Amino acid sequence: MTRGGPMGFGEAVATCFQRYATVRGRARRSEFWWFQLFGSLAWLATAGAFAALWLAAFSGEARPSEDPTINPDYVAWGPLTAAFGVLLVYVLAVGVPTLAVTGRRLHDVGMSAWWLLLLVPGLGIVLLAIAVVDGHHGANRFGPDPRIVPGPSRDNAALAR
């Protein structure tokens, strides 16, 4: 067994998508934070696409800021439906693996993934604070240490020569 270095951006994103909805196991800090960066960048693109489609749906005579009782005949339903489709794709493509990697990160610090329920009352900041904490060294009840790469250690490789 050898100690592996921190994950890079691409490796973390690939790992999170490979383990799409898997909460079982543990995730190191680098995996969690790189995927949070990816999710944030994806959110910026999603929000931009949503805003553009939303504005396209209400162009012309339908302006939500001017008239709270918009005539449905002036709403372009295609762009409006597409705007909400973009949000749904984001939630399924990025939101689900984000919850899974957060659960695995909680496991790494020895906590149950049930702590994800803190998101319901809006206490996600607590989960981010917990994600900063260094994980348990060695195996815990949720699995082996993700920082340890399985295989022959350097000492064993030297003895085998």
Coordinates of all heavy atoms in Angstrom, one line a residue, residues 59-143:
S59 N -40.2 37.7 -24.6 CA -39.9 38.8 -25.4 C -41.2 39.4 -26.0 O -42.3 38.7 -26.0 CB -39.0 38.4 -26.6 OG -39.6 37.5 -27.4
G60 N -41.1 40.6 -26.6 CA -42.3 41.2 -27.2 C -43.2 41.8 -26.1 O -42.7 42.6 -25.3
E61 N -44.5 41.5 -26.2 CA -45.5 42.2 -25.3 C -45.5 41.6 -23.9 O -46.1 42.2 -23.0 CB -46.8 42.1 -25.9 CG -46.9 42.9 -27.2 CD -48.3 42.9 -27.7 OE1 -49.3 43.0 -26.9 OE2 -48.5 42.9 -29.0
A62 N -45.0 40.4 -23.6 CA -45.0 39.8 -22.3 C -43.7 40.2 -21.6 O -42.7 39.7 -21.8 CB -45.1 38.3 -22.4
R63 N -43.8 41.1 -20.6 CA -42.7 41.5 -19.8 C -43.1 41.4 -18.4 O -43.9 42.2 -17.8 CB -42.4 43.0 -20.1 CG -41.9 43.2 -21.5 CD -41.1 44.5 -21.6 NE -41.0 45.0 -22.9 CZ -40.3 44.4 -23.9 NH1 -39.8 43.3 -23.7 NH2 -40.2 45.0 -25.1
P64 N -42.5 40.4 -17.7 CA -42.9 40.1 -16.3 C -42.7 41.3 -15.3 O -43.4 41.5 -14.4 CB -42.0 38.9 -15.9 CG -41.5 38.3 -17.1 CD -41.5 39.4 -18.2
S65 N -41.7 42.1 -15.6 CA -41.4 43.3 -14.8 C -42.4 44.4 -14.9 O -42.6 45.2 -14.0 CB -40.0 43.8 -15.1 OG -40.0 44.3 -16.4
E66 N -43.1 44.5 -16.0 CA -44.1 45.5 -16.2 C -45.5 45.1 -15.9 O -46.3 45.9 -15.5 CB -44.0 46.0 -17.7 CG -42.7 46.6 -18.1 CD -42.6 46.9 -19.6 OE1 -43.7 46.7 -20.3 OE2 -41.5 47.2 -20.0
D67 N -45.8 43.8 -16.1 CA -47.2 43.4 -15.9 C -47.2 42.0 -15.2 O -46.9 41.0 -15.8 CB -47.9 43.2 -17.3 CG -49.4 42.9 -17.1 OD1 -49.9 42.9 -16.0 OD2 -50.0 42.5 -18.2
P68 N -47.6 42.0 -13.9 CA -47.6 40.7 -13.2 C -48.7 39.8 -13.7 O -48.6 38.6 -13.5 CB -47.9 41.2 -11.7 CG -48.5 42.5 -11.8 CD -48.0 43.1 -13.1
T69 N -49.7 40.3 -14.4 CA -50.7 39.4 -15.0 C -50.5 39.2 -16.4 O -51.1 39.9 -17.3 CB -52.1 39.9 -14.7 OG1 -52.2 41.2 -15.3 CG2 -52.4 40.0 -13.2
I70 N -49.5 38.4 -16.8 CA -49.1 38.2 -18.2 C -50.2 37.4 -19.0 O -50.7 36.4 -18.5 CB -47.8 37.5 -18.3 CG1 -46.7 38.3 -17.6 CG2 -47.4 37.2 -19.7 CD1 -45.4 37.6 -17.4
N71 N -50.5 37.9 -20.1 CA -51.4 37.2 -21.0 C -50.7 36.0 -21.6 O -49.7 36.1 -22.3 CB -51.9 38.1 -22.1 CG -52.9 37.5 -23.0 OD1 -53.1 36.3 -23.0 ND2 -53.5 38.3 -23.9
P72 N -51.2 34.8 -21.3 CA -50.5 33.6 -21.8 C -50.3 33.5 -23.3 O -49.5 32.8 -23.8 CB -51.3 32.4 -21.3 CG -52.3 33.0 -20.3 CD -52.3 34.4 -20.5
D73 N -51.1 34.3 -24.0 CA -51.0 34.3 -25.5 C -49.7 34.9 -26.0 O -49.3 34.6 -27.1 CB -52.2 35.0 -26.1 CG -53.6 34.3 -25.8 OD1 -53.5 33.1 -25.6 OD2 -54.6 35.0 -25.8
Y74 N -49.1 35.7 -25.1 CA -47.9 36.4 -25.5 C -46.6 35.6 -25.1 O -45.5 36.1 -25.3 CB -47.8 37.8 -25.0 CG -48.9 38.7 -25.6 CD1 -49.9 39.2 -24.9 CD2 -48.9 38.9 -27.0 CE1 -50.9 40.0 -25.4 CE2 -49.8 39.7 -27.6 CZ -50.9 40.2 -26.8 OH -51.8 41.0 -27.4
V75 N -46.8 34.5 -24.4 CA -45.6 33.8 -23.9 C -45.2 32.7 -24.9 O -46.0 32.0 -25.4 CB -46.0 33.1 -22.5 CG1 -44.8 32.2 -22.0 CG2 -46.3 34.1 -21.5
A76 N -43.9 32.7 -25.2 CA -43.4 31.6 -26.1 C -43.1 30.4 -25.3 O -42.1 30.4 -24.5 CB -42.2 32.1 -26.8
W77 N -44.0 29.4 -25.3 CA -43.9 28.3 -24.4 C -42.7 27.4 -24.7 O -42.2 26.7 -23.9 CB -45.2 27.5 -24.4 CG -46.3 28.3 -23.8 CD1 -47.3 29.0 -24.4 CD2 -46.5 28.5 -22.4 NE1 -48.1 29.7 -23.5 CE2 -47.6 29.4 -22.3 CE3 -45.8 28.1 -21.3 CZ2 -48.0 29.8 -21.0 CZ3 -46.2 28.6 -20.0 CH2 -47.3 29.4 -19.9
G78 N -42.2 27.3 -26.0 CA -41.1 26.5 -26.3 C -39.8 26.9 -25.6 O -39.2 26.0 -24.9
P79 N -39.4 28.1 -25.6 CA -38.2 28.5 -24.9 C -38.4 28.4 -23.4 O -37.5 28.0 -22.6 CB -38.0 30.0 -25.3 CG -38.7 30.2 -26.6 CD -39.8 29.2 -26.6
L80 N -39.6 28.6 -22.9 CA -39.9 28.5 -21.5 C -39.8 27.1 -21.0 O -39.1 26.8 -20.0 CB -41.3 29.1 -21.1 CG -41.6 29.2 -19.6 CD1 -40.6 30.1 -19.0 CD2 -43.0 29.7 -19.4
T81 N -40.3 26.2 -21.8 CA -40.2 24.7 -21.5 C -38.7 24.3 -21.6 O -38.2 23.5 -20.7 CB -41.0 23.9 -22.5 OG1 -42.4 24.3 -22.4 CG2 -41.0 22.4 -22.1
A82 N -38.0 24.8 -22.6 CA -36.6 24.4 -22.7 C -35.8 25.0 -21.5 O -34.8 24.3 -21.1 CB -36.0 25.0 -24.0
A83 N -36.1 26.2 -21.0 CA -35.4 26.7 -19.9 C -35.5 25.8 -18.7 O -34.5 25.5 -18.0 CB -36.0 28.1 -19.5
F84 N -36.7 25.3 -18.4 CA -36.8 24.3 -17.3 C -36.2 23.0 -17.6 O -35.8 22.3 -16.7 CB -38.3 24.2 -16.8 CG -38.7 25.5 -16.1 CD1 -39.5 26.5 -16.7 CD2 -38.4 25.7 -14.8 CE1 -39.9 27.6 -16.1 CE2 -38.7 26.8 -14.1 CZ -39.5 27.8 -14.7
G85 N -36.2 22.6 -18.9 CA -35.5 21.4 -19.3 C -34.0 21.5 -19.0 O -33.3 20.5 -18.5
V86 N -33.4 22.7 -19.2 CA -32.0 22.9 -18.9 C -31.7 22.7 -17.4 O -30.7 22.1 -17.0 CB -31.6 24.3 -19.4 CG1 -30.2 24.7 -18.8 CG2 -31.5 24.3 -20.9
L87 N -32.6 23.2 -16.6 CA -32.5 23.0 -15.1 C -32.6 21.6 -14.7 O -31.8 21.1 -13.9 CB -33.5 23.8 -14.4 CG -33.3 25.3 -14.3 CD1 -34.5 26.0 -13.6 CD2 -32.0 25.7 -13.7
L88 N -33.5 20.8 -15.3 CA -33.7 19.4 -15.0 C -32.4 18.6 -15.4 O -31.9 17.8 -14.6 CB -34.9 18.9 -15.7 CG -35.2 17.4 -15.5 CD1 -35.5 17.1 -14.1 CD2 -36.3 16.9 -16.4
V89 N -31.9 18.9 -16.6 CA -30.6 18.3 -17.0 C -29.5 18.5 -16.0 O -28.7 17.6 -15.6 CB -30.2 18.7 -18.4 CG1 -28.8 18.2 -18.8 CG2 -31.2 18.1 -19.4
Y90 N -29.4 19.8 -15.5 CA -28.3 20.1 -14.6 C -28.5 19.3 -13.3 O -27.5 18.7 -12.8 CB -28.3 21.6 -14.2 CG -27.3 21.9 -13.1 CD1 -26.0 22.1 -13.4 CD2 -27.8 22.0 -11.8 CE1 -25.1 22.4 -12.4 CE2 -26.9 22.3 -10.8 CZ -25.5 22.5 -11.1 OH -24.6 22.8 -10.1
V91 N -29.7 19.3 -12.8 CA -30.0 18.5 -11.5 C -29.6 17.1 -11.7 O -29.0 16.5 -10.8 CB -31.5 18.7 -11.1 CG1 -31.8 17.7 -10.0 CG2 -31.7 20.1 -10.6
L92 N -30.0 16.5 -12.8 CA -29.7 15.0 -13.0 C -28.3 14.8 -13.3 O -27.7 13.8 -12.8 CB -30.6 14.5 -14.1 CG -32.1 14.4 -13.8 CD1 -32.9 14.0 -15.0 CD2 -32.4 13.5 -12.6
A93 N -27.6 15.6 -14.1 CA -26.3 15.4 -14.5 C -25.2 15.8 -13.4 O -24.2 15.2 -13.3 CB -26.0 16.2 -15.8
V94 N -25.5 16.9 -12.7 CA -24.5 17.3 -11.7 C -25.0 17.2 -10.2 O -24.3 16.9 -9.3 CB -24.1 18.8 -12.0 CG1 -23.1 19.3 -11.0 CG2 -23.6 18.9 -13.4
G95 N -26.3 17.5 -10.0 CA -26.9 17.5 -8.7 C -26.8 16.1 -8.0 O -26.4 16.0 -6.8
V96 N -27.1 15.1 -8.7 CA -27.1 13.7 -8.1 C -25.7 13.3 -7.8 O -25.4 12.9 -6.6 CB -27.8 12.7 -9.1 CG1 -27.6 11.3 -8.6 CG2 -29.2 13.0 -9.2
P97 N -24.7 13.4 -8.7 CA -23.3 13.1 -8.2 C -22.8 14.0 -7.1 O -21.9 13.6 -6.3 CB -22.5 13.2 -9.5 CG -23.3 13.7 -10.6 CD -24.7 13.7 -10.1
T98 N -23.2 15.2 -7.1 CA -22.8 16.1 -6.0 C -23.3 15.6 -4.6 O -22.5 15.6 -3.7 CB -23.3 17.6 -6.2 OG1 -22.8 18.1 -7.4 CG2 -23.0 18.5 -5.1
L99 N -24.5 15.2 -4.6 CA -25.0 14.6 -3.3 C -24.3 13.3 -3.0 O -23.9 13.1 -1.8 CB -26.5 14.3 -3.4 CG -27.5 15.5 -3.5 CD1 -28.9 15.0 -3.7 CD2 -27.4 16.2 -2.1
A100 N -24.0 12.5 -4.0 CA -23.2 11.3 -3.7 C -21.8 11.5 -3.2 O -21.4 10.9 -2.2 CB -23.2 10.4 -5.0
V101 N -21.1 12.4 -3.8 CA -19.7 12.7 -3.4 C -19.8 13.4 -2.0 O -18.9 13.2 -1.2 CB -18.9 13.5 -4.4 CG1 -19.3 15.0 -4.5 CG2 -17.4 13.4 -4.1
T102 N -20.8 14.2 -1.7 CA -20.9 14.8 -0.4 C -21.1 13.7 0.7 O -20.5 13.7 1.8 CB -22.0 15.8 -0.3 OG1 -21.8 16.8 -1.4 CG2 -22.1 16.5 1.0
G103 N -22.0 12.7 0.3 CA -22.2 11.6 1.3 C -20.9 10.8 1.5 O -20.6 10.4 2.6
R104 N -20.1 10.6 0.4 CA -18.9 9.9 0.6 C -17.9 10.7 1.4 O -17.1 10.1 2.2 CB -18.3 9.5 -0.8 CG -19.1 8.4 -1.5 CD -18.4 7.8 -2.7 NE -17.9 8.8 -3.7 CZ -18.6 9.3 -4.7 NH1 -19.8 8.9 -4.9 NH2 -18.1 10.1 -5.5
R105 N -17.9 12.0 1.2 CA -17.0 12.9 2.0 C -17.4 12.8 3.5 O -16.5 12.8 4.3 CB -17.1 14.3 1.5 CG -16.2 15.3 2.1 CD -14.8 15.1 1.7 NE -13.9 15.7 2.7 CZ -13.0 15.0 3.4 NH1 -12.8 13.7 3.2 NH2 -12.3 15.6 4.3
L106 N -18.7 12.8 3.8 CA -19.1 12.7 5.2 C -18.6 11.3 5.7 O -18.2 11.2 6.9 CB -20.6 12.7 5.3 CG -21.2 14.1 5.1 CD1 -22.7 14.0 4.9 CD2 -20.9 15.0 6.3
H107 N -18.7 10.3 4.9 CA -18.1 9.0 5.4 C -16.7 9.1 5.7 O -16.2 8.4 6.6 CB -18.4 7.9 4.3 CG -19.8 7.5 4.1 ND1 -20.2 6.7 3.1 CD2 -20.9 7.8 4.9 CE1 -21.5 6.5 3.2 NE2 -21.9 7.1 4.3
D108 N -15.9 9.8 4.9 CA -14.5 9.9 5.1 C -14.1 10.5 6.5 O -13.1 10.2 7.1 CB -13.8 10.7 4.0 CG -12.3 10.6 4.0 OD1 -11.8 9.5 4.2 OD2 -11.6 11.6 3.8
V109 N -15.0 11.4 7.0 CA -14.8 12.0 8.3 C -15.5 11.2 9.4 O -15.5 11.7 10.5 CB -15.1 13.5 8.4 CG1 -14.3 14.3 7.4 CG2 -16.6 13.7 8.1
G110 N -16.1 10.1 9.0 CA -16.7 9.2 10.0 C -18.1 9.5 10.3 O -18.7 9.1 11.4
M111 N -18.8 10.3 9.5 CA -20.2 10.6 9.7 C -21.1 9.9 8.7 O -20.7 9.6 7.6 CB -20.4 12.1 9.6 CG -19.5 12.9 10.6 SD -19.6 14.7 10.3 CE -21.1 15.0 11.0
S112 N -22.3 9.7 9.1 CA -23.3 9.1 8.2 C -23.8 10.1 7.1 O -23.8 11.3 7.3 CB -24.5 8.7 9.1 OG -25.6 8.3 8.2
A113 N -24.1 9.5 6.0 CA -24.7 10.3 4.9 C -26.0 10.9 5.2 O -26.5 11.8 4.5 CB -24.7 9.5 3.6
W114 N -26.6 10.4 6.3 CA -27.9 11.0 6.8 C -27.7 12.5 7.1 O -28.7 13.3 7.1 CB -28.5 10.3 8.0 CG -29.1 9.0 7.6 CD1 -28.5 7.7 7.7 CD2 -30.4 8.8 6.9 NE1 -29.4 6.8 7.2 CE2 -30.5 7.4 6.7 CE3 -31.4 9.6 6.5 CZ2 -31.6 6.9 6.1 CZ3 -32.5 9.1 5.9 CH2 -32.6 7.7 5.7
W115 N -26.5 13.0 7.3 CA -26.3 14.4 7.6 C -26.6 15.2 6.4 O -26.8 16.4 6.5 CB -24.8 14.6 8.0 CG -24.5 14.3 9.4 CD1 -24.3 13.0 9.9 CD2 -24.5 15.2 10.5 NE1 -24.1 13.1 11.3 CE2 -24.2 14.4 11.7 CE3 -24.6 16.5 10.6 CZ2 -24.1 15.0 12.9 CZ3 -24.5 17.1 11.9 CH2 -24.2 16.3 13.0
L116 N -26.8 14.6 5.2 CA -27.2 15.3 4.0 C -28.6 16.0 4.2 O -29.0 16.9 3.5 CB -27.3 14.4 2.8 CG -25.9 14.0 2.2 CD1 -26.1 12.9 1.1 CD2 -25.2 15.2 1.6
L117 N -29.4 15.4 5.1 CA -30.7 16.0 5.4 C -30.6 17.5 5.9 O -31.6 18.2 6.0 CB -31.4 15.2 6.4 CG -31.9 13.8 5.9 CD1 -32.5 13.0 7.0 CD2 -32.8 14.0 4.7
L118 N -29.4 17.9 6.3 CA -29.2 19.3 6.7 C -29.5 20.2 5.5 O -29.7 21.4 5.7 CB -27.8 19.6 7.2 CG -27.5 19.0 8.6 CD1 -26.0 19.2 8.9 CD2 -28.3 19.7 9.6
L119 N -29.4 19.7 4.3 CA -29.7 20.5 3.1 C -31.2 21.0 3.1 O -31.5 22.0 2.6 CB -29.4 19.8 1.8 CG -27.9 19.5 1.6 CD1 -27.8 18.5 0.4 CD2 -27.2 20.8 1.4
V120 N -32.1 20.1 3.7 CA -33.5 20.4 3.7 C -33.8 21.8 4.3 O -34.5 22.6 3.8 CB -34.3 19.3 4.3 CG1 -35.8 19.6 4.4 CG2 -34.1 18.0 3.4
P121 N -33.4 22.0 5.6 CA -33.7 23.3 6.2 C -32.7 24.5 5.7 O -32.8 25.5 6.3 CB -33.5 23.1 7.7 CG -32.6 22.0 7.8 CD -32.8 21.1 6.6
G122 N -31.9 24.2 4.7 CA -31.0 25.2 4.2 C -29.7 25.3 5.0 O -29.1 26.4 5.0
L123 N -29.2 24.3 5.6 CA -28.0 24.3 6.4 C -26.8 23.7 5.7 O -26.0 23.0 6.3 CB -28.2 23.7 7.8 CG -29.3 24.3 8.7 CD1 -29.5 23.5 9.9 CD2 -28.8 25.7 9.0
G124 N -26.8 23.9 4.4 CA -25.7 23.3 3.6 C -24.3 23.8 4.0 O -23.3 23.1 3.8
I125 N -24.2 25.0 4.6 CA -22.9 25.5 5.0 C -22.3 24.7 6.0 O -21.1 24.6 6.1 CB -23.1 27.0 5.5 CG1 -21.8 27.7 5.6 CG2 -23.9 27.1 6.8 CD1 -21.1 28.1 4.4
V126 N -23.1 24.0 6.8 CA -22.5 23.0 7.8 C -21.8 21.9 7.1 O -20.7 21.5 7.5 CB -23.7 22.5 8.7 CG1 -23.1 21.4 9.7 CG2 -24.3 23.6 9.5
L127 N -22.4 21.4 6.0 CA -21.8 20.3 5.3 C -20.5 20.8 4.6 O -19.5 20.0 4.6 CB -22.7 19.8 4.2 CG -24.0 19.1 4.7 CD1 -24.9 18.8 3.6 CD2 -23.7 17.9 5.6
L128 N -20.4 22.0 4.2 CA -19.2 22.5 3.6 C -18.1 22.7 4.6 O -16.9 22.4 4.4 CB -19.5 23.9 2.9 CG -20.3 23.8 1.6 CD1 -20.5 25.2 1.1 CD2 -19.6 23.0 0.6
A129 N -18.5 23.1 5.8 CA -17.5 23.2 6.9 C -17.0 21.8 7.3 O -15.8 21.6 7.6 CB -18.2 23.8 8.2
I130 N -17.9 20.8 7.3 CA -17.4 19.4 7.6 C -16.5 18.9 6.5 O -15.5 18.2 6.8 CB -18.7 18.5 7.8 CG1 -19.4 18.9 9.1 CG2 -18.3 17.0 7.9 CD1 -20.8 18.2 9.2
A131 N -16.8 19.3 5.3 CA -16.0 18.8 4.2 C -14.5 19.3 4.2 O -13.6 18.7 3.6 CB -16.6 19.2 2.8
V132 N -14.3 20.4 5.0 CA -12.9 20.9 5.1 C -12.1 20.0 6.0 O -10.8 19.9 5.9 CB -13.0 22.3 5.6 CG1 -11.6 22.9 6.0 CG2 -13.7 23.2 4.6
V133 N -12.7 19.3 6.9 CA -12.0 18.5 7.9 C -11.3 17.4 7.3 O -11.8 16.7 6.4 CB -13.0 18.0 9.0 CG1 -12.3 17.0 10.0 CG2 -13.7 19.1 9.7
D134 N -10.1 17.1 7.7 CA -9.3 15.9 7.2 C -10.0 14.7 7.6 O -10.5 14.5 8.7 CB -7.9 16.0 7.8 CG -6.9 15.0 7.1 OD1 -7.2 14.6 6.0 OD2 -5.9 14.7 7.7
G135 N -10.0 13.7 6.7 CA -10.7 12.4 6.9 C -9.9 11.6 7.9 O -8.7 11.8 8.2
H136 N -10.5 10.5 8.4 CA -9.8 9.5 9.3 C -8.7 8.8 8.5 O -8.9 8.4 7.3 CB -10.8 8.5 9.8 CG -11.8 9.0 10.8 ND1 -12.9 8.3 11.1 CD2 -11.8 10.2 11.5 CE1 -13.6 9.0 12.0 NE2 -12.9 10.2 12.2
H137 N -7.6 8.7 9.2 CA -6.5 8.0 8.6 C -6.7 6.5 8.8 O -7.1 6.0 9.9 CB -5.1 8.4 9.2 CG -4.8 9.8 8.9 ND1 -4.3 10.3 7.7 CD2 -5.0 11.0 9.6 CE1 -4.2 11.6 7.7 NE2 -4.6 12.0 8.9
G138 N -6.5 5.7 7.7 CA -6.8 4.3 7.8 C -8.3 4.0 7.6 O -9.1 4.9 7.4
A139 N -8.6 2.7 7.7 CA -10.0 2.3 7.4 C -10.9 2.8 8.5 O -10.5 2.9 9.7 CB -10.1 0.8 7.3
N140 N -12.2 3.0 8.2 CA -13.2 3.3 9.2 C -14.4 2.4 8.8 O -14.3 1.6 7.9 CB -13.5 4.8 9.4 CG -14.2 5.4 8.2 OD1 -14.7 4.7 7.3 ND2 -14.3 6.7 8.1
R141 N -15.5 2.6 9.5 CA -16.7 1.7 9.3 C -17.3 1.9 7.9 O -18.1 1.1 7.5 CB -17.7 2.0 10.3 CG -18.4 3.3 10.3 CD -19.3 3.6 11.5 NE -19.8 4.9 11.5 CZ -21.1 5.2 11.6 NH1 -22.0 4.3 11.7 NH2 -21.4 6.5 11.6
F142 N -16.9 2.9 7.1 CA -17.4 3.1 5.8 C -16.5 2.6 4.7 O -16.8 2.7 3.5 CB -17.7 4.6 5.6 CG -18.7 5.1 6.5 CD1 -18.3 6.0 7.6 CD2 -20.0 4.8 6.4 CE1 -19.3 6.4 8.5 CE2 -21.0 5.3 7.3 CZ -20.6 6.1 8.3
G143 N -15.3 2.2 5.0 CA -14.4 1.6 4.0 C -13.0 2.0 4.2 O -12.6 2.6 5.2

